[in-house]
Amino acid sequence: MSILVTRSSMPTLEEYLEEIKPIFESHHMTNMGPIYKKLQQKLIDYLCVSELLLFVNGHMALEMAIDALGLKEKGGEVITTPFTFVSTTHSITRNGLTPVFCDIKPDDYTINPETIEALITEKTVAIVPVHVYGSLCDVEEIGAIAKRHNLIVIYDAAHAFGVTYKGVGVGNFGDASMFSLHATKVFNTIEGGAVAFHDGKYREKLHELKNFGIHGEDDVLGIGGNAKMDEFRAAMGICNLRRMDECIARRKAVHERYNERLGNVPGIRIRKQQEGVSANYSYYPVYFDREIFGNTRDDVYEELKLNDIFARKYFYPAINELSCYADIQGAETPIAHDISMNILTLPMYEELTLEDVDRICDIVLGK
Ligand code: T4K
């Protein structure tokens, strides 16, 4: 059987059927029904955040968060990373804002705070960093920069569900954070997304944006869209959340086996455990230094493919090298370019066996 880069975590069919049974009695299938509300509260508790709204997917959650926090109205420039999934940048540009690409750090691949400040102009309105692969951004330094320059910070925490820093849930940093709850994520609601924030003044605007701008029965205040999470997806979330600890423990075992096998190989670079961070083991990225390792990232990718193993080049090309962003002028981002050319995310999911990991590593190492 093929091994793909990931495989969705799912409950048993019986467990899911039990959870969706009430929908067949009430016929309440969507529009913030009881299962939505139950999941919303459970996620507030699990992520240790004060406010959280659920969305149809992570992309719409981020796009609407940027709007709800007033950035669309303001217009201007947003400093962000070129090393991410294209959704991050699209969320900025679809709000009429201009992305300004800032280079990343070579060790954890998150935006480099040392280069942020030089990119700030009188047009800068926000920073949108990404906790890429679940690596925590330098939240303290980014927070200090934002305070100095009066900028909004919205984290793309698509990969960082359940990550904590010094015991604080990742969703507490910045003005808002978006989590993707897509089928490929550590925690999924099939498709889904969430925005966590602490200032209650955003609640109503965000809620309205995802529900056509409707404000009660008598008026529509804003020009919203439709990005509501339905009851069937919320039910999947309820089931999957029950098994989160087990799921993360199994991923951790996979991660540790990869570390054992690849951690000390000349020319292979793996991420180090970040101090104070409890990880969620969402991805297993490996950097290949072709000069030392001999084989390139692409050689390894092809060899795995020949063996029916489908690793992925997340995130290649860097966003500022994509055709749709070719017109965006800006500073060079050589580290993001180098990482995107040489990194491969190896298969990572809870059901991956340690024997599978050994087989993958044998192929990577040419054994
Ligand atoms: N920001 C960041 C940093 C993100 O990474 C993402 C999404 C977003 C924002 C936006 O969040 P969402 O709107 O998606 O909630 C996948 C995911 O679709 C996407 O969610 C994810 N990031 C991105 C990094 O990866 P593809 O096109 O690579 O997925 P696909 O269909 O090739 O699937 C990858 C593997 O996952 C498959 O080989 C098998 C497995 N899989 C896939 C699906 C769809 C399953 O096991 N079950 C499934 O249902 O984008």
Side-chain angles (χ1 to χ4, degrees), residues 22-42:
I23 307 173
F24 286 80
E25 285 148 19
S26 67
H27 290 221
H28 194 154
M29 292 197 280
T30 185
N31 289 10
M32 284 69 75
I35 310 182
Y36 172 103
K37 290 193 178 115
K38 183 171 160 190
L39 180 64
Q40 179 184 31
Q41 189 53 53
K42 282 187 179 294

Side-chain angles (χ1 to χ4, degrees), residues 4-8 57-60 62 84-85 87-88 130 132 156 158-159 178-185 190-193 283 310 312 314-315:
L4 306 177
V5 69
T6 195
R7 184 173 158 86
S8 300
N57 58 51
H59 176 84
M60 288 313 296
L62 183 56
T84 182
F85 189 55
S87 165
T88 314
V130 180
V132 66
D156 179 334
H159 305 167
M178 177 280 285
F179 297 95
S180 164
L181 312 180
H182 183 260
T184 52
K185 299 299 185 290
I190 310 174
E191 288 269 4
Y283 290 84
F310 298 88
R312 291 292 281 269
Y314 293 137
F315 292 97

Side-chain angles (χ1 to χ4, degrees), residues 113-140:
E114 284 175 18
T115 34
I116 290 179
E117 226 154 7
L119 298 171
I120 296 176
T121 69
E122 71 282 359
K123 291 189 195 143
T124 310
V125 289
I127 310 172
V128 175
V130 180
H131 300 301
V132 66
Y133 306 135
S135 286
L136 191 92
C137 293
D138 196 336
V139 288
E140 282 155 357

